[in-house]
Amino acid sequence: MAAEGLEKFTEVPVEFFKDGTAFVKKCQKPDLKEYFKIIRAVGVGFIMMGVVGYAVKLVHIPIRYLIV
Amino acid sequence: MFPFCSMTIGTSRQFGFFILVRLLDLVKFFLPILPEVEFPYERISFDERVVFTVASGIIFLFGQLPIYGLVANAQFKIIDPLYNFRTIFAMEKGTLLELGLLPAITAGFIWQLAVGLKFLNVNLNLAKDRELFQTGQKLTSFFLSVVYTAGLIYSGYFDNVINGYDVLSDSLPLGWYAFIFVQIVGWSFFTTLLIEVFDKGYAFGSGILCFLTLQTATNVIKDLVGLEIFPLINSNKSETYGALSNLLKSFTSFDLTVLKQNIINAFTRSQLPNLTQFYISILSILVVIFLQNFRIEIPIRSTKVRAANNVYPIRLLYTGALPVLFTYTVIINIQIFGYFLVSILTKYNVSPSLVALIGKYNVPSFANNYQLTTGVLFYISNSSSIIASLLSPIKSVVYVAFSIVLSTWFSQKWCYISGSGPKDTSKLFKDQGISIAGKRDISITKELSRVIPVAAVSGAFSLIALALAGEILGGLGKGVSIIVGVSSAFGILEEFLLEYQQTGGNSQFSSAFGGL
Amino acid sequence: MSSSSAQAPGGLRSVAKRKATADKKAQSSSATPLSTRSAGAGGSSSTMMKLFTDEAQGLRVDPLVVLFLAVGFIFSVIILHVFAKITGKFT
């Protein structure tokens, strides 16, 4: 009974790994050109957001200094 | 037998309905006083959405104002029990964003999982129930912010930074407590409303994920080129915050040995961001982008138009970064309530050995953080460096196993809950007159159910593995927030581009974005 | 669908089959949706988490009002700080 339970307990992850690796193998991977295109798009968006956000943060430094 | 059977089902449903009515009645009671953002009367134009996104993002970031009532530079003096999870939830120490997005995210997960797993009997087909469902989320978010703030104040989190208050001699500063409470809860309230502005379609993406992305992007930039000069704890030196700006500053000295020392320091300093962390961040960004484009392309054909073949991609990261976000929401809630529990028990003079079973905090000499040393809480917390994770292997294993189990479980449930499971997708196919090439209509669901859950679970597993790799190396939540931020950025970018294409480029901003 | 039309209508088997499909249909339609998206009202998708999808009865406010109120809240905190600083200097 206990052994059976244990077997079931190990069976699920093993099954999952099998399915998962099979899936990843079947997956369409991005080619280099596509990958760089996406990196550029996401990178530009990310850096733009970051610069705007950091600008707001920088504005806070003098405010902090003035009011506290 | 049949009528009997249906009767029992009827009563059980009625029983469930009874609970529902009581619970939702509780929500109904608050309906007239809760503000509710109006739905847009007409379609919001692309330009308006950009303006709303930027404006609410900036207002959100303005919440980093220091709390009134605390001493200057309180963020260096607060002893922090949550330091290793802050960045994930945009929680800024000693500011109005003390709770960040935590109440809203927690409330959302609680309600959506409770309904999705049928703990609550809500019929979302009815508009009335849907309204109460969303008001319930809002109410829970407010309620949680009250609980968190009250807990933090009660456990003495702010005590050593309140203006002119001496812990040993004065009586409790109730007035200051009230001020702090109102500010944090108030700003949390506005944060929830800002999220609602996003979710109702005035801006791009979902409020929570957009704010998280914004916060992550800001932190990446700040860690790299931050210009603020921070004093180092327990030493008389101060260094520039940004890793790169600090390194560049060190080039001003022309002494070679000092320069060498400075360069080594730029990679290894522990109190402020160093370049090693920065490279880990960049690496995780690249890996997330790579993983994001793993997909299985299912060949589809239209049932209406002949010879209209296409592919329907099913992504490996089918549930995006939500499993990772969920995992850390659970962990931080355990940590925060554990911290409250420990401080309550300590106040009531429960024996220290018993309290240590839950958790025991220790303040190291080099940082103002409460570091866990033992107890249940210790085993589900991340480590501050790779050495720390190697020194306590049992804890690392428990932490990793706990996170993996949580996130894979969530992803498996979420792909059904969120209305994008095999059944819902095949319904979508049917509505749009699509079918899988070489398959009959009936077997679409079967075909999809062979792919979608596997995709969701393996995607969640690979993301959490990436997140945990960063955590074991001592990322202190940075890797996690980057993973959540970048994969949310994809969703936002997608919506943005879709909308941009639909406007046909006749927008005021199109010239500004034209160069990209 | 196409398979049932191939068979001659009527007969015991097709009645049973029809009943089974009808039952299945009834079951799937009576099953309550698990989320607002599967109820067809937007909300959290597989990768996006959204909290608010419907307009509930309540104190309806314009989004601009929300933004202004939030800014107002920030300013009230700033004013508190400034006020404290000024009074602190004179006492």
Side-chain angles (χ1 to χ4, degrees), chain B residues 6-59:
Chain B
S6 65
M7 203 182 77
T8 46
I9 288 167
T11 45
S12 78
R13 281 199 62 170
Q14 223 141 48
F15 181 64
F17 194 66
F18 179 62
I19 295 171
L20 159 83
V21 164
R22 290 193 55 192
L23 192 99
L24 288 189
D25 266 344
L26 215 69
V27 174
K28 239 182 227 165
F29 181 71
F30 291 94
L31 262 184
I33 50 166
L34 277 178
E36 177 78 25
V37 175
E38 281 175 330
F39 251 122
Y41 286 117
E42 47 199 43
R43 239 180 119 265
I44 305 285
S45 75
F46 180 77
D47 289 357
E48 272 176 299
R49 286 179 84 174
V50 172
V51 169
F52 264 114
T53 312
V54 173
S56 2
I58 287 175
I59 291 172

Side-chain angles (χ1 to χ4, degrees), chain B residues 67-86:
Chain B
I67 297 173
Y68 168 67
L70 304 186
V71 295
N73 287 329
Q75 77 266 34
F76 302 126
K77 291 164 192 155
I78 289 177
I79 300 177
D80 183 8
L82 301 167
Y83 67 100
N84 37 8
F85 300 108
R86 270 183 191 277

Side-chain angles (χ1 to χ4, degrees), chain B residues 31-39 52 55-56 59 62-63 65-68 104-105 108-109 112 115-116 118 123-125 130-131 133-135 137-138 179 183 186-187 190 192-194 196-197 199-200 202 205-206 208-209 317-320 322 414 417-420 424 430 491-492, chain C residues 1-4 19 23-25 27-85 87:
Chain B
L31 262 184
I33 50 166
L34 277 178
E36 177 78 25
V37 175
E38 281 175 330
F39 251 122
F52 264 114
S56 2
I59 291 172
F62 257 96
L65 212 64
I67 297 173
Y68 168 67
I105 295 177
F109 275 130
Q112 295 184 17
V115 170
K118 302 205 163 171
N123 187 356
L124 292 173
N125 276 328
R130 279 206 304 272
E131 286 172 14
F133 171 70
Q134 84 154 31
T135 312
Q137 295 184 63
K138 199 187 287 173
F179 261 118
Q183 287 174 80
W187 188 245
F190 280 113
T192 312
L193 287 182
L194 285 178
E196 192 175 348
V197 171
D199 285 2
K200 291 254 166 94
Y202 289 98
S206 90
I208 288 172
L209 295 184
L317 304 183
Y318 196 72
T319 47
L322 287 183
W414 188 257
I417 289 174
S418 61
S420 34
D424 302 285
K430 206 182 225 169
I492 296 159
Chain C
M1 275 162 258
S2 56
S3 63
S4 69
K19 192 172 180 304
D23 276 358
K24 224 178 186 175
K25 227 176 206 170
Q27 204 183 26
S28 66
S29 64
S30 72
T32 51
L34 296 176
S35 66
T36 45
R37 178 166 291 267
S38 46
S44 291
S45 70
S46 57
T47 53
M48 283 277 185
M49 182 164 168
K50 289 194 177 180
L51 264 56
F52 307 107
T53 51
D54 284 82
E55 188 169 86
Q57 327 283 309
L59 213 61
R60 295 204 179 166
V61 287
D62 194 81
L64 276 178
V65 175
V66 171
L67 298 193
F68 281 122
L69 280 179
V71 172
F73 186 82
I74 295 270
F75 268 105
S76 62
V77 174
I78 292 179
I79 286 167
L80 271 179
H81 276 295
V82 171
F83 194 69
K85 190 156 189 178
T87 50

Side-chain angles (χ1 to χ4, degrees), chain B residues 69 71 158-177 347:
Chain B
V71 295
F158 295 110
D159 277 0
N160 66 340
V161 287
I162 288 179
N163 227 340
Y165 166 63
D166 186 359
V167 187
L168 296 174
S169 56
D170 298 351
S171 62
L172 283 181
L174 292 178
W176 284 127
Y177 280 170
K347 279 197 183 175

Side-chain angles (χ1 to χ4, degrees), chain B residues 342-362:
Chain B
V342 167
S343 46
I344 289 169
L345 290 181
T346 316
K347 279 197 183 175
Y348 280 99
N349 290 325
V350 179
S351 77
S353 55
L354 211 64
V355 177
L357 282 180
I358 301 167
K360 194 173 169 213
Y361 294 98
N362 184 22

Side-chain angles (χ1 to χ4, degrees), chain B residues 407-429:
Chain B
S407 81
T408 45
W409 173 83
F410 175 82
S411 69
Q412 209 252 337
K413 293 289 175 214
W414 188 257
C415 76
Y416 289 99
I417 289 174
S418 61
S420 34
K423 238 187 206 157
D424 302 285
T425 313
S426 77
K427 202 174 141 224
L428 185 88
F429 275 20

